[in-house]
Amino acid sequence: MKRRWISWCIANIIWIILFAVGTAVIWTREVDGAGVTQTPELKLLGFIVLLIACIFPLIIQVIWLIINLKVSKHVL
């Protein structure tokens, strides 16, 4: 396996772990940093914000995947 594929896999694992930890924090907290008691609606809103924040890294990962696939086909 080439270094670029290993790097891509490691980066994906890191993003998945960060997303999972962020989701766990959002769904398990009772009070946020401003002292507001978290209702299910506010937790859902926080989760949506996390999803929006993860769209940019997802786009970068997809572009990186496409480049890896094109380079791998070109080398073979």
Side-chain angles (χ1 to χ4, degrees), residues 1-29:
M1 197 177 241
K2 303 278 185 178
R3 279 192 304 160
R4 65 180 170 267
W5 283 107
I6 294 171
S7 301
W8 184 78
C9 289
I10 290 171
N12 279 329
I13 290 169
I14 290 170
W15 281 115
I16 290 169
I17 290 170
L18 287 174
F19 183 76
V21 168
T23 301
V25 167
I26 288 171
W27 285 108
T28 58
R29 68 183 178 182

Side-chain angles (χ1 to χ4, degrees), residues 22-70:
T23 301
V25 167
I26 288 171
W27 285 108
T28 58
R29 68 183 178 182
E30 298 295 324
V31 178
D32 69 359
V36 178
T37 303
Q38 295 294 290
T39 63
E41 293 83 10
L42 288 175
K43 288 180 181 184
L44 181 61
L45 184 66
F47 181 70
I48 291 171
V49 169
L50 179 64
L51 281 175
I52 292 170
C54 288
I55 287 174
F56 183 69
L58 176 68
I59 291 170
I60 292 173
Q61 289 298 103
V62 169
I63 291 170
W64 192 2
L65 172 65
I66 292 169
I67 292 170
N68 280 345
L69 289 173
K70 287 189 179 203

